[in-house]
Amino acid sequence: STIGNQQSSPDTALVEKIINSVDAVLMRECFRRGIRPDSLNAPQNIAEALKDFFEIYDGKLSSVDASQRTKLAESILLVTTGQKSNPCYSVIDFGEGQTPKRIPDTFLSLNKSNKLNIPFVQGKFNMGGTGALQFCSKRYNLQLIISRRDPKIAEENGDETSQNWGFTVIRREDPRGGMRSSSFRYLAPEGKILTFEAANLPLLPKEYPK
């Protein structure tokens, strides 16, 4: 019910994904400076974060020139591949990222207070990003998530997965047994997110047609 009661159109659901990427980039900059995002030392609104982290005058994007906007835009990419009639949309960001161990409590969680006490991010209720699921493919609503913690902030106490990539697939499953409606599940064999090691992944687009 939480997933089904989000955005009613695919474009607004996609925008929510990009908003989450903006939050992740701001969180990355906060962590890189050794500041707890929910502390009084952190920026108290988005404008302060843009000013402190990216030296943007008054925190207004309208005050930066084209070259600075381009540099900022390189942190978040929306890439379309496949056929026009059946495209695949990939949102790629260079945000804080998550370790495989943290993925169930972040990307895959619902209604938690992950960002509720962080004043400089837009996402608050830990559910808006799920709105895209009902628009992902015609039948099973498949979504692939791949993430790695930013290496500059990857020192996680007791997290043995902090240097690894983690990935999972979310899909809608038809009702089974006495279920009255479909459900969403994610891939986690034996309850664990799949992991692998890699210095980088060849995901970024190059010059046409690559």
Side-chain angles (χ1 to χ4, degrees), residues 48-60:
E48 279 188 26
L50 293 174
K51 182 179 179 181
D52 294 349
F53 299 157
F54 298 103
E55 299 180 352
I56 295 176
Y57 180 74
D58 280 348
K60 296 180 179 179

Side-chain angles (χ1 to χ4, degrees), residues 17 131-143 170:
K17 291 288 191 185
L133 285 170
Q134 59 183 320
F135 302 109
C136 293
S137 77
K138 296 179 179 179
R139 182 175 180 185
Y140 286 114
N141 309 110
L142 293 169
Q143 180 176 268
I170 304 171

Side-chain angles (χ1 to χ4, degrees), residues 7 9-20 78 89-91 131-132 135:
Q7 302 85 4
S9 62
D11 52 343
T12 53
L14 182 58
V15 167
E16 186 69 29
K17 291 288 191 185
I18 298 173
I19 289 174
N20 286 341
L78 174 60
Y89 295 102
S90 299
V91 179
F135 302 109

